[in-house]
Amino acid sequence: MRRLLGPLLALGVLAACGHAQVTAPAPRPLTTSTAATPEVHEGAARGQGGPIDADTQAAIDRGIAQGRSGDLDGARRTFQDVVQRNPNAGAAWVNLGVIAERKGDLTEAEASYRRAAQTTPEPPESWDFLARLLVRTKRASEAEALLRGRVQEAPTALGARNALTWVLLETNRLPEAEAEAKKVLKADEQNVRAMQLLAQGYYRQGKYELCRLVLENARAVDPKDPVTHNALGTVLLKLKQRAAALESFRTAASLRPDFAEAHSNFGAMLVESGDYDGAVKELELAVSTAPELLPARMNLGNAYRGKLELAKAREQYEKVVALDPTLADTYYNLAILHLDSDVPGMDTIDRYNKAIAYFTTYKEKGGADDRVGQYLKDAAKGIDREQRRREREKKDQLRKAEKEAAAKTPAASAEVPTAAEAPPAASPAQPQPQTSKKKSSRGKLKTP
């Protein structure tokens, strides 16, 4: 049983630049600067013989359930009650930090992680979470100094050494990171977190087969660790084993409902396969768990577009632009949306002009898709086609109006006979006045 809420961000996120109708680059795997921290195993959460009684453990379990259901306020209250009754409950302190991060209170989150690291025994994950937060707030050197100090104080503190490995990875010191990970594995050959970090180093060096082998070993040690499955999916994509990658992402997502990155990656692949309903389900879950996870938002927009829910698609793309206006692919997707589809409430010519503007911004932001030139021509043709259609419609309306006016105007040569000229009522053979020929002639003069 797991005893921590999932982290905000994790290893191996698919970049969201794919277009379901093959009008954008395919999704690509990459590693992020916010690698995942694994959840605590049951033994670690119980303090491995530390002062965690049954009531405290039950309260921690209750807080976990509340957090995963979305009741962060309720979970926070539960964990606060736990640490008030038992200040040595490290897992509760870590979870308080996770909740604070999700709410955007990084100061409280840092204080909670630091407090967790002071408990006895310390949850190894507390160092990982703390290191990740310090790096996110551009304090990597502070994180490294803190962790090296802890490793020197307690060489067997594998949690701190793993966190140090991660900091070294994030500062692109790959050989040093590899050496630290191997030190952990020498002390504990079944340390799954060390395997994940070692694999991440291999991935960044392009050693994909080595990365896969290490992750498969980690999976054998703990088949229910979602971080391993998610990372394995990423490297399998690199090895062009897409079916196996899909299953790895599916497994990772099923193992932890609040693992936003796994749901994002799984959803991205469902978009690519055309399963838009399934993709929306996964990606909405990812966005609800981690609103700032841009790949999830981008792919959610793609999934909505696949379902022709264009207003929702545009809303997601615009949120990505608001969160990070430097991402070129967002403008590409917005351009395709305006080029391919009738946007509710938008004039057709305005829509094509908007597509051109978005393609132009895409290029200005560094986008280099070689199809953009043709798409710009298509937009220009669309504008010309719409203008000609409007001209034809205008002419047709004018002709119709002239015909209607002509039909209502009496013929100039049709004279109504006076009473004196009228034929006798008793002469039924007298022909009726003829006006239809002149009316018809006037009508023909107005016909092209």
Side-chain angles (χ1 to χ4, degrees), residues 13 24 28 44 88 158 274 322 444:
V13 178
R28 59 180 182 269
N88 219 32
L158 301 185
K444 286 182 179 179

Side-chain angles (χ1 to χ4, degrees), residues 185-199:
L185 290 170
K186 184 176 181 179
D188 176 10
E189 64 182 12
Q190 292 194 329
N191 192 295
V192 170
R193 180 58 175 158
M195 293 180 192
Q196 293 167 349
L197 292 167
L198 181 61

Side-chain angles (χ1 to χ4, degrees), residues 60 69 169 179 190 193 202 227 288 363 441:
I60 290 174
S69 70
L169 284 170
Q190 292 194 329
R193 180 58 175 158
Y202 286 147
V227 176
S288 68
K363 294 170 68 177
S441 176

Side-chain angles (χ1 to χ4, degrees), residues 143-380:
E144 182 179 351
L146 175 68
L147 293 165
R148 287 195 183 279
R150 178 55 185 162
V151 169
Q152 188 173 2
E153 291 173 2
T156 59
L158 301 185
R161 196 178 288 277
N162 272 334
L164 175 60
T165 302
W166 182 80
V167 171
L168 293 170
L169 284 170
E170 294 310 297
T171 52
N172 205 33
R173 291 141 73 186
L174 303 184
E176 292 180 63
E178 182 178 337
E180 288 296 332
K182 288 179 177 179
K183 287 178 184 178
V184 175
L185 290 170
K186 184 176 181 179
D188 176 10
E189 64 182 12
Q190 292 194 329
N191 192 295
V192 170
R193 180 58 175 158
M195 293 180 192
Q196 293 167 349
L197 292 167
L198 181 61
Q200 186 175 347
Y202 286 147
Y203 184 94
R204 294 189 182 191
Q205 296 176 67
K207 300 176 180 179
Y208 303 124
E209 282 293 349
L210 271 177
C211 177
R212 180 182 63 81
L213 289 172
V214 172
L215 289 171
E216 287 177 347
N217 287 338
R219 184 180 60 184
V221 172
D222 186 357
K224 294 186 177 181
D225 190 309
V227 176
T228 299
H229 288 281
N230 187 61
L232 186 57
T234 300
V235 73
L236 288 171
L237 275 181
K238 208 66 174 174
L239 294 170
K240 303 186 185 305
Q241 299 178 30
R242 304 194 69 80
L246 177 66
E247 288 310 308
S248 288
F249 290 137
R250 188 195 308 274
T251 301
S254 68
L255 285 171
R256 198 164 85 203
D258 62 344
F259 194 174
E261 292 69 23
H263 291 286
S264 178
N265 288 340
F266 184 34
M269 294 201 73
L270 292 177
V271 169
E272 191 181 48
S273 67
D275 182 1
Y276 302 122
D277 289 329
V280 165
K281 178 182 177 182
E282 295 297 324
L283 294 163
E284 285 182 340
L285 183 55
V287 168
S288 68
T289 303
E292 78 292 349
L293 188 58
L294 301 187
R297 284 201 180 278
M298 188 94 81
N299 278 311
L300 181 56
N302 291 343
Y304 283 141
R305 192 166 78 239
K307 288 169 61 68
L308 300 181
E309 296 180 9
L310 303 182
K312 289 184 177 181
R314 184 169 61 173
E315 179 185 8
Q316 291 303 319
Y317 295 146
E318 289 174 348
K319 284 183 178 179
V320 175
V321 170
L323 290 167
D324 187 352
T326 67
L327 290 177
D329 291 335
T330 320
Y331 301 100
Y332 185 102
N333 282 331
L334 279 164
I336 291 294
L337 184 147
H338 287 82
L339 178 65
D340 283 353
S341 311
D342 289 331
V343 178
M346 181 173 286
D347 174 82
T348 300
I349 291 178
D350 290 345
R351 174 169 64 82
Y352 283 122
N353 280 324
K354 197 73 171 176
I356 291 171
Y358 279 129
F359 278 129
T360 301
T361 304
Y362 166 74
K363 294 170 68 177
E364 291 172 349
K365 299 292 183 181
D369 192 291
D370 57 10
R371 291 168 289 185
V372 169
Q374 182 58 52
Y375 292 153
L376 288 169
K377 292 178 182 178
D378 291 344

